Structure formats: C-alpha cells, structure tokens
C-alpha cells in the first residue's frame, strides 16, 4: 500500500495536446498541463513513466527541447510483438485524453566535460537524442549524430534531421548497405579525439556491438541506454518463502515473477521491465541479480524487483 502510494505521488496529470504520425508505425504525443502551467523540468536524455492503465506503465524518452517548459513529447513505435503498451497508445489514445506521467528521470545524461559528443541511434532509439541535440546546439558543444533506420520513410523527425544533415551534424544510415544497421560502429569509433564521449541507444544487437567496440574506452566516456531492463533469466534457483514456509523452483528462462504467479502468489506488476517500482518485494537472505532501473543501492540491500531480477546464489529467501 505504501509503495503504491509513493508511486502515485510521483505522477503528474497531463493532457494530450496533439498527436503526430511521424511514420506509419511511430506516433508522437504532445503532452501539456491541463491548465497550461509549466511542467516539471527535465534534462537532455531524460525519460518519463507513462501510466496508461492501473496495470500498464511504460517508459518513454522525452524527445522535445528541454527549454520548452510547457510541453513533453514522446514518440512511440507500435510493437505488435510487444507487451501491449505501445499498441494501447496507438489504438486507444486521442487528443484531449488525460495521461498521468512520472516526474522526469535521467539515466542517460549528456556529459558536461567532453571535447566532442558522438551519438548513435538505432530505430526508435533516436528519441533520447532528440532532447540532447537542442541542448548541445544551444551550448555550442560539438557533436555528430548517426541515425540507423530501415529506410527514409521509416525515419521519424525527418524535417528536423534534414535541417541538421544540411549543417553536417547528422548522417542517416539505412539497412541493406553492408552491415545490419547500415553502420559499422567499430569502424566509426576507430579514430576519435581525446575525451570524446560516445552514446548509443537502439536494439539489443546494436548495444552489444557498441559495448564490444568500446570495451577499451574509459568507462566514463561511454554511455548507452537500452529500451528496458534486461531480465536476469537463464539459470534455475530456489525461492524460500519465509512467511508461508514454501519453496518455489524458478526454472531456467523463467522470471521470478512468473514463478511466483505460477505458484499462486499474485505479485502486482505494471511495466514488467524493472522501471515502475510496483512489483517490489523484500528478501532476507541470498544474493539477488538486480536488473531494475528503479532501486537505489541502499534499497537493493533489502528489496528486489522480481519482474526482471534473478538470483546469483542457489536460493533466495523472500519476505513472503
Ligand atoms: S513491474 Fe515494474 S518494476 Fe516490476
């Protein structure tokens, strides 16, 4: 109850002021305060949790200019293989609807001390960069933005990107010309000036290629953001439930929350991506494999998010 209260308190109500179809599968929502007051400020690269229904909370990067105090913009790709949030936005929401959103949080901020910023995006992964670019332009910091998409018609924000292409600040890469994404990240990062910072947001394979390529880079100069937390599935382990005295086996390739639900313990979930905080439970013994983006180090000493987290020890004792 307390956890739910805290989560509700972090939300502000917005109204959908406009909807723009960026491509046939990406729509951009313009959100404003119901009385047109200023919205809570955000920094470049920040995201918000969008509260779609009681059980549906999704995380989206803010893709507007942070200096615009009255509007949030989010761009959403309709994902037919996804978990339902994007289709809800595409099929149910209309201009004038109210939408609760969290205060902006930032796990992908722009480094303040950099000689150069190299930005790499795959598909809908370009959204956080759309809030970074206005800030970089305003501060006069040098950057280049590489955007990988299927083709030009599947590229959102084309008008903005075209203007930046003319200024030599953006390069578009389309699939079908060599590598999978159309961009050879290893080649691109071969020569970079000292104290350059590199950033990547895109599909899993792109992030993996980026991580491999930047392994020898100074850790502080490398930044990436995944679309959601990566679930810790893969190894089996046992959950000991201290209050009920029961033992539950979590199978290989099964999430903790699925194992609990399968055994009759209904854990409330919303995002199932380690970002909303709703499924939080406490543990008493064992070593969790934390994969969420919501708990602090301090909180991780007693709590875990079973929708994405697993176990590094053969068993975990839960306070259930
Ligand atoms: S359901 Fe959102 S963090 Fe687990």
């Amino acid at each position: 109850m307390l956890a739910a209260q805290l989560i509700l308190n972090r939300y502000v109500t917005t109204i959908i002021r406009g909807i723009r179809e960026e491509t046939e599968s990406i729509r951009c929502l313009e959100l404003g305060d119901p009385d047109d007051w200023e919205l809570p400020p955000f920094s470049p690269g920040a995201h918000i949790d969008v509260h779609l229904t009681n059980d549906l909370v999704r995380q989206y990067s803010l893709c507007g200019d942070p200096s615009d105090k009255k509007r949030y913009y989010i761009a959403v790709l309709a994902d037919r293989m996804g978990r339902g949030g994007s289709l809800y936005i595409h099929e149910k929401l209309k201009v004038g609807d109210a939408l609760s959103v969290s205060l902006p949080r930032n796990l992908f901020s722009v480094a303040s001390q950099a000689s150069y910023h190299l930005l790499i995006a795959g598909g809908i992964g370009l959204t956080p960069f759309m809030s970074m670019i206005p800030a970089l332009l305003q501060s006069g910091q040098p950057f280049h933005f590489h955007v990988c998409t299927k083709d030009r018609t599947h590229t959102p924000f084309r008008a903005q990107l075209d203007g930046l292409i003319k200024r030599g600040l953006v390069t578009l890469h389309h699939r079908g010309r060599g590598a999978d994404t159309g961009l050879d990240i290893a080649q691109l990062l071969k020569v970079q000036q000292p104290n350059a910072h590199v950033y990547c947001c895109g599909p899993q394979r792109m992030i993996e290629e980026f991580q491999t390529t930047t392994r020898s880079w100074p850790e502080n100069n490398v930044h990436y953001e995944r679309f959601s937390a990566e679930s810790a599935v893969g190894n089996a382990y046992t959950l000991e439930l201290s209050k009920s005295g029961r033992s539950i086996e979590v199978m290989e390739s099964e999430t903790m929350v699925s194992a609990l639900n399968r055994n009759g313990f209904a854990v409330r979930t919303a995002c199932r991506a380690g970002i909303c905080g709703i499924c939080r439970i406490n543990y008493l013994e064992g070593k969790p494999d934390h994969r969420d983006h919501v708990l602090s180090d301090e909180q991780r000493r007693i709590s875990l998010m079973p929708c994405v987290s697993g176990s590094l020890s053969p068993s975990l004792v839960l306070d259930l």
Side-chain angles (χ1 to χ4, degrees):
M1 179 64 189
L2 180 62
Q5 203 95 45
L6 288 172
I7 286 155
L8 287 175
N9 287 344
R10 283 163 35 202
Y11 281 81
V12 293
T13 300
T14 64
I15 296 289
I16 301 176
R17 299 279 179 191
I19 295 178
R20 197 173 61 236
E21 306 299 336
E22 286 286 340
T23 70
E24 64 180 21
S25 56
I26 297 175
R27 63 169 23 185
C28 182
L29 267 53
E30 175 187 341
L31 308 176
D33 175 82
D35 297 315
D36 216 24
W37 289 86
E38 290 187 359
L39 293 167
F42 67 97
S43 54
H47 67 268
I48 50 173
D49 300 339
V50 179
H51 194 104
L52 298 167
T53 67
N54 276 346
D55 298 324
L56 209 54
V57 179
R58 293 291 181 265
Q59 181 185 47
Y60 296 104
S61 295
L62 291 165
C63 54
D65 183 343
S67 67
D68 180 350
K69 306 286 184 216
K70 289 195 169 184
R71 292 291 180 266
Y72 289 159
Y73 294 87
I74 56 170
V76 180
L77 170 71
D79 183 359
R80 309 226 160 258
M81 306 299 284
R83 295 167 293 131
S86 66
L87 291 188
Y88 184 93
I89 288 175
H90 273 256
E91 292 168 4
K92 301 260 194 262
L93 295 183
K94 55 189 186 312
V95 172
D97 283 351
L99 213 49
S100 290
V101 304
S102 71
L103 298 179
R105 292 196 298 268
N106 202 336
L107 302 171
F108 194 46
S109 51
V110 179
S112 54
Q113 310 277 336
S115 62
Y116 186 75
H117 302 270
L118 187 70
L119 320 175
I120 303 169
I124 195 66
L126 93 171
T127 51
F129 298 116
M130 298 311 290
S131 71
M132 291 183 182
I133 287 172
L136 290 171
L137 287 170
Q138 281 155 27
S139 62
Q141 295 184 69
F143 73 93
H144 197 90
F145 185 25
H146 291 269
V147 184
C148 305
T149 60
K150 188 174 169 192
D151 54 41
R152 193 173 154 74
T153 58
H154 288 84
T155 307
F157 305 111
R158 284 201 301 271
Q160 281 160 273
L161 293 176
D162 282 346
L164 293 164
I165 289 169
K166 282 192 191 126
R167 297 169 65 180
L169 297 170
V170 168
T171 306
L172 289 185
H173 305 265
H174 299 311
R175 278 183 227 152
R177 292 206 314 237
D180 213 20
T181 59
L183 173 66
D184 186 339
I185 293 178
Q187 189 63 32
L188 178 69
L189 298 187
K190 230 176 191 168
V191 184
Q192 285 298 328
Q193 50 185 287
N195 201 29
H197 281 241
V198 287
Y199 308 73
C200 184
C201 182
Q204 182 66 15
R205 272 169 67 184
M206 176 181 256
I207 296 286
E208 283 167 10
E209 185 185 349
F210 179 77
Q211 286 177 304
T212 306
T213 306
T214 54
R215 203 159 280 154
S216 60
W217 280 58
E219 203 180 322
N220 289 342
N221 293 37
V222 176
H223 316 263
Y224 59 88
E225 186 167 69
R226 298 176 194 278
F227 293 149
S228 66
E230 197 180 0
S231 299
V233 292
N235 59 317
Y237 55 94
T238 306
L239 297 174
E240 307 287 354
L241 309 189
S242 66
K243 288 181 180 149
S244 64
R246 286 186 58 187
S247 288
I248 290 176
E249 299 302 324
V250 183
M251 297 182 293
E252 272 181 35
S253 307
E254 185 180 35
T255 62
M256 197 185 305
V257 86
S258 307
L260 288 165
N261 287 340
R262 182 167 54 76
N263 284 275
F265 287 85
V267 178
R268 193 173 162 224
T269 59
C271 69
R272 290 193 173 237
I275 53 175
C276 73
I278 280 179
C279 67
R280 177 175 173 175
I281 54 180
N282 289 342
Y283 67 97
L284 305 170
E285 285 174 39
K287 200 165 187 303
D289 185 1
H290 293 288
R291 300 295 182 101
D292 65 274
H293 288 313
V294 70
L295 294 174
S296 65
D297 287 346
E298 189 62 29
Q299 291 168 327
R300 285 181 169 188
R301 291 165 62 170
I302 56 166
S303 301
L304 55 82
M305 295 298 175
C307 65
V308 289
S309 299
S311 180
L312 297 172
S313 50
S315 68
L316 274 180
V317 181
L318 301 183
D319 190 16
L320 285 177

